Amino acid sequence: MNNALRILLGKDLVVLDGDGTLYIGSRPLPGAREFIRFLDEHGKRYVIMTNNSSFSKEHHIKRLRRILGRFFSYDEVFISTEAAIEYLYDTGVRRVYALGTPEFIHDLVSSGIHHDPERPEIVVIAFDKTLTYGKLVRAVRHIMAGTPYIVVNPDILCPTDRGYIPDTGSIWALIRTATGKDPMAVTGKPSSLFLNYMLRKLSVRPSDAVIIGDRLYTDIAMANENGVTSILVLTGETKIEDLVNSRYRPTFVVNTLIDLLK
Ligand SMILES: [Mg+2]
């Protein structure tokens, strides 16, 4: 058994990233199904933690079942949207204007946040695959008039079946360029807010978890900043040469999840 796997088996919780780690688009990555089966066979507790705020939680669960062939419960899947909702509640905000998909807005509204395009207390920037110029104009006008904004996840690109597509981070770049203003918070990975929200729900300490992900500036950054052991997989955005100049240091690096089982 390799060192990374031995350390992993000694932890209480395995936190798995989605896009680029377990799947790309609707296809499981090599070793993803085998790895999940291995964790189940060893009675290992694990969750999926994803920054992809374009799908509702319900949709994520359906996709995971289709892609990985296993049913995940509500407590086994965490999306950046939940961290954003937690943040809004903590700051007492109830009225927002969101750049988000109808599924994202559904999750906001069903948790008691009002979607108010006219008089928001905060503008929320999410992974809006239904973005229009009119929505951008509205968001920019609110922010320039003094309404603060938050960013649900900082990812610049999202891998899909047909290549990379612009993610929330790219929309954020446009908003920042237009307004010259920075957000009040970025709530998805690498934010400690998201990690703490999840670990609190699961009653797990950071030192008892291990994070597996494909991104240095989200998955590994969050692990580093919170004292969590991490495993970088090279099936997504990061190439081995990116490690040389990176300020983020994964505890272990493997090419694919298959290598972790060797
Ligand atoms: Mg990823």
Side-chain angles (χ1 to χ4, degrees), residues 17-23 155 159 189 213-215 218-219 236-237:
D17 170 53
D19 295 290
T21 299
L22 288 170
Y23 47 82
D155 309 59
K189 292 184 268 186
D214 69 302
R215 272 204 180 138
T218 56
D219 306 300
E237 202 180 72

Side-chain angles (χ1 to χ4, degrees), residues 126-141:
F127 186 4
D128 190 0
K129 292 179 185 166
T130 58
L131 188 65
T132 64
Y133 195 73
K135 284 189 187 182
L136 284 169
V137 169
R138 189 182 285 272
V140 164
R141 283 187 179 156

Side-chain angles (χ1 to χ4, degrees), residues 106-119:
H106 170 269
D107 275 4
L108 276 189
V109 170
S110 60
S111 68
I113 307 283
H114 298 285
H115 192 236
D116 184 349
E118 306 295 331
R119 289 175 46 252

Side-chain angles (χ1 to χ4, degrees), residues 193-259:
L193 215 114
F194 192 13
L195 182 73
N196 291 335
Y197 163 78
M198 184 186 72
L199 294 181
R200 205 168 49 240
K201 278 211 139 189
L202 301 171
S203 302
V204 173
R205 290 177 304 184
S207 55
D208 293 330
V210 53
I211 292 173
I212 307 180
D214 69 302
R215 272 204 180 138
L216 289 166
Y217 67 90
T218 56
D219 306 300
I220 307 305
M222 184 176 69
N224 282 180
E225 281 155 23
N226 292 280
V228 180
T229 301
S230 61
I231 302 171
L232 177 75
V233 289
L234 300 174
T235 42
E237 202 180 72
T238 310
K239 304 288 160 260
I240 191 80
E241 54 269 26
D242 297 332
L243 277 166
V244 182
N245 293 316
S246 175
R247 46 195 272 244
Y248 308 114
R249 296 272 160 227
T251 319
F252 301 100
V253 182
V254 292
N255 283 317
T256 73
L257 289 172
I258 295 175
D259 297 303

Side-chain angles (χ1 to χ4, degrees), residues 87-119:
Y87 179 83
L88 294 172
Y89 266 90
D90 281 353
T91 48
V93 169
R94 293 294 179 275
R95 283 195 329 276
V96 306
Y97 174 57
L99 295 188
T101 59
E103 291 190 18
F104 175 81
I105 290 170
H106 170 269
D107 275 4
L108 276 189
V109 170
S110 60
S111 68
I113 307 283
H114 298 285
H115 192 236
D116 184 349
E118 306 295 331
R119 289 175 46 252

